[in-house]
């Protein structure tokens, strides 16, 4: 189960050439749901082979005369595989793509805009954030994938440290503003304890309502006074000792690892994070509070896209909608720790009903977050760009440069990198 955010530079920068075609050998194009199509998934076999086979059998039974050929690609090298398929005109009819993988294909016209000609009411069927993840700056209102399975983050708080350091474990921060306030309280009472344990990144700009990318998708625009003020706030907190000094180091372990070690009092994590923390550090059992994510919850998305050049476009579209309908998504969500992207899944007690157990409580919290969760940084911001931004913010927090200059320098470099992707 893979959730990607960092765009793959090789996909984004290389011109893909001729539009890809579907995987069927049939040379005719049909508007009816018939014929052979390929469905490509990413690292789901052998663990979920039975589920996928049942999914395919159900589709073929519903649409006599159809045949689905399953292609499951290994986890490693999937981006290169998709690139190779696109460049050689062998893109599968229906293909599992996270938003960053779909972006360069959409730019090349290789994916169907499902906002036109979908067999379902997209807005009524899928959560808004899942659809928005496949809308890209500069490409209008087009949507390039049916949302499939989703995930988000919750917040985890060490209640033992809260009690020892003058904080109320029943009232942990619900917003970033409250986080700063309570971090100061913890530091005053317990100078060696930390509530904050990460420096800001692009997602913090989005939470603060700061635009990251221009509307046309051609340049980064987050070097503003508002963004600089946000970085200054973290700079002040860092220099006052509210954050561990390691957050600026290359060997920074991340807030999850530090939380597990009992070195910080806050971490983010998925709905199963509680069980993972307690497994890795049994002393945390009974000492963790779980709440919704601060401000706007993040959304991690996998989708099912349709090749714009499929020889059986109607069949491919019907298959993508079958894979992502509520019933099939609910069944999948019962098998693995992910969430369905369909609004109708709210009627499934497994996702929507808190039975009083810790795991169910976290699962329901996370599922309900999906209503407002969103992708917090544009997928044009790839991993190399994030590294540049991270380095500039670190310089600002250390006091080696001003926050505004750090953002100016980051935007200048990122826009050079972005121009090479177009």
């Amino acid at each position: 189960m893979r959730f990607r955010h960092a765009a793959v530079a090789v996909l984004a920068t290389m011109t893909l050439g001729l539009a890809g075609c579907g995987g069927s050998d049939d040379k005719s194009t049909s508007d009816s749901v018939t014929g052979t199509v390929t469905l490509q998934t990413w690292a789901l076999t052998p663990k979920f082979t039975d589920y996928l086979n049942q999914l395919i059998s159900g589709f073929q039974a519903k649409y006599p005369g159809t045949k689905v050929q399953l292609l499951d690609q290994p986890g490693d090298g999937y981006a290169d595989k998709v690139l190779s398929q696109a460049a050689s005109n062998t893109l599968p009819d229906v293909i599992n793509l996270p938003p960053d993988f779909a972006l360069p294909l959409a730019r090349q016209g290789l994916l169907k805009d499902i906002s036109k000609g979908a067999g379902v009411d997209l807005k009524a069927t899928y959560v808004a954030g899942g659809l928005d993840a496949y809308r890209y700056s500069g490409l209008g209102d087009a949507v390039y994938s049916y949302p499939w399975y989703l995930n988000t983050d919750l917040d985890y708080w060490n209640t033992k440290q809260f009690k020892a350091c003058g904080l109320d474990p029943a009232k942990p921060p619900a917003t970033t503003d409250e986080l700063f306030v309570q971090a100061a309280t913890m530091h005053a009472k317990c100078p060696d304890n930390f509530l904050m344990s990460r420096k800001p990144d692009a997602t913090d700009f989005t939470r603060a309502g700061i635009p990251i990318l221009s509307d046309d998708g051609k340049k980064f625009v987050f070097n503003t006074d508002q963004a600089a003020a946000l970085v200054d706030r973290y700079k002040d907190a860092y220099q006052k000792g509210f954050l561990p000094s390691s957050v600026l180091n290359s060997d920074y372990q991340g807030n999850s690892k530090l939380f597990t070690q009992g070195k910080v009092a806050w971490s983010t994590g998925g709905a199963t994070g509680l069980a993972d923390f307690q497994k890795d550090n049994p002393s945390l059992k009974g000492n963790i509070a779980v709440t919704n994510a601060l401000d706007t919850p993040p959304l991690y998305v996998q989708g099912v896209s349709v090749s714009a050049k499929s020889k059986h476009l109607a069949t491919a579209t019907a298959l993508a909608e079958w894979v992502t309908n509520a019933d099939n998504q609910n069944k999948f969500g019962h098998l693995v720790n992910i969430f369905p992207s369909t609004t109708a899944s709210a009627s499934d007690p497994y996702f929507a009903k808190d039975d009083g157990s810790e795991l169910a409580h976290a699962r329901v919290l996370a599922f309900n977050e999906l209503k407002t969760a969103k992708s917090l940084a544009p997928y044009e911001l790839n991993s190399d760009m994030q590294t540049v931004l991270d380095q500039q913010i670190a310089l600002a927090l250390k006091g080696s440069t001003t926050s505004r200059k750090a953002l100016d320098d980051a935007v200048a470099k990122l826009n050079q990198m972005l121009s090479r992707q177009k």
Side-chain angles (χ1 to χ4, degrees):
M1 314 307 300
R2 295 170 181 267
F3 290 92
R4 290 292 302 269
H5 180 80
V8 178
V10 68
L11 276 172
T13 56
M14 180 173 181
T15 300
L16 298 177
L18 298 175
C21 60
S24 165
D25 291 332
D26 192 326
K27 300 302 181 183
S28 64
T29 299
S30 174
D31 291 330
S32 61
V33 181
T34 187
T36 300
V37 292
T38 50
L39 168 64
Q40 179 163 292
T41 55
W42 184 13
L44 295 184
T45 63
K47 186 173 183 179
F48 302 106
T49 299
D50 288 345
Y51 171 78
L52 293 171
N53 287 340
Q54 291 173 12
L55 191 71
I56 290 169
S57 296
F59 178 78
Q60 292 174 164
K62 181 177 181 179
Y63 297 103
T66 63
K67 182 178 180 181
V68 178
Q69 296 176 340
L70 176 65
L71 304 173
D72 186 68
Q73 302 294 344
D76 294 336
Y78 189 57
D80 293 335
K81 179 64 178 180
V82 172
L83 172 63
S84 176
Q85 290 171 326
S88 62
N89 300 327
T90 58
L91 201 67
D93 298 277
V94 181
I95 179 170
N96 174 196
L97 294 172
D100 51 333
F101 286 21
L103 171 58
L105 302 184
R107 283 179 174 159
Q108 293 293 326
L110 300 182
L111 301 180
K112 177 185 176 181
D113 171 11
I114 65 167
S115 69
K116 301 175 182 178
V120 297
D121 183 335
L122 297 178
K123 186 176 180 180
T125 303
Y126 304 99
V127 297
L131 293 171
D132 289 343
Y134 291 93
R135 290 188 174 100
Y136 303 108
S137 299
L139 296 180
D141 292 327
V143 181
Y144 290 100
S145 188
Y146 294 90
W148 192 5
Y149 53 91
L150 312 176
N151 222 325
T152 186
D153 281 341
L154 298 171
D155 282 338
Y156 295 89
W157 312 93
N158 187 313
T159 58
K160 185 176 181 180
Q161 289 189 36
F162 266 59
K163 294 174 184 176
C165 300
L167 297 175
D168 185 349
K171 297 179 180 179
T175 66
T176 299
D177 286 342
E178 292 176 8
L179 178 68
F180 276 94
V181 171
Q182 295 198 29
T185 300
M186 175 169 281
H187 181 72
K189 185 73 178 289
C190 301
D192 295 329
N193 291 55
F194 303 97
L195 187 60
M196 300 174 65
S197 56
R198 52 174 291 274
K199 61 181 177 296
D201 58 24
T203 66
D204 294 288
F205 298 151
T206 300
R207 290 188 181 96
I210 301 167
I212 298 176
L213 197 67
S214 61
D215 290 340
D216 60 9
K218 293 183 178 179
K219 62 180 181 178
F220 290 100
V221 295
F222 57 82
N223 54 328
T224 64
D225 289 343
Q226 185 183 1
L230 178 61
V231 176
D232 278 341
R233 193 175 189 188
Y234 275 90
K235 175 182 178 179
D236 180 66
Y238 176 78
Q239 296 191 351
K240 287 180 177 177
F242 297 175
L243 291 80
S245 60
S246 64
V247 300
L248 302 188
N249 299 343
S250 59
D251 59 352
Y252 169 59
Q253 294 178 303
N255 62 6
S256 178
K257 180 66 71 175
L258 295 178
F259 182 84
T260 301
Q261 296 171 350
K263 295 179 179 179
V264 301
W266 168 52
S267 179
T268 57
T272 61
L274 183 64
D276 295 335
F277 291 135
Q278 293 175 349
K279 178 182 177 181
D280 294 338
N281 183 354
S283 71
L284 291 173
K285 187 172 180 61
N287 294 314
I288 299 177
V290 187
T291 66
N292 290 116
L294 300 179
D295 304 315
T296 303
L299 184 68
Y300 310 114
V301 188
Q302 286 286 345
V304 177
S305 298
V306 175
S307 168
K309 300 301 179 179
S310 170
K311 296 182 177 68
H312 291 291
L313 195 58
T315 307
T317 300
L319 176 59
E321 292 175 357
W322 173 260
V323 170
T324 60
N325 71 29
D327 183 53
N328 287 321
Q329 287 213 51
N330 289 355
K331 291 176 182 176
F332 195 35
H334 285 234
L335 297 175
V336 66
N337 294 314
I338 51 86
F339 295 101
S341 63
T342 50
T343 57
S345 298
S347 63
D348 186 331
Y350 179 77
F351 302 109
K353 185 177 180 180
D354 185 346
D355 63 11
S357 67
E358 289 182 330
L359 185 58
H361 177 65
R363 182 168 60 239
V364 171
L365 277 179
F367 178 72
N368 287 333
E369 276 192 350
L370 298 178
K371 299 172 185 176
T372 57
K374 61 188 294 186
S375 300
L376 295 180
Y379 291 100
E380 289 85 349
L381 186 71
N382 65 34
S383 58
D384 291 337
M385 295 175 180
Q386 290 184 65
T387 297
V388 170
L389 176 58
D390 184 73
Q391 292 169 343
Q392 289 299 320
I393 287 178
L395 290 174
L397 265 60
K398 286 191 296 185
S400 300
T401 186
T402 66
S403 295
R404 183 55 188 262
K405 186 176 188 306
L407 296 179
D408 286 341
D409 290 347
V411 165
K413 179 62 176 178
L414 267 55
N415 281 335
Q416 292 178 1
M417 298 168 74
L418 185 64
S419 68
R420 295 196 289 268
Q421 292 183 5
K422 303 301 184 181

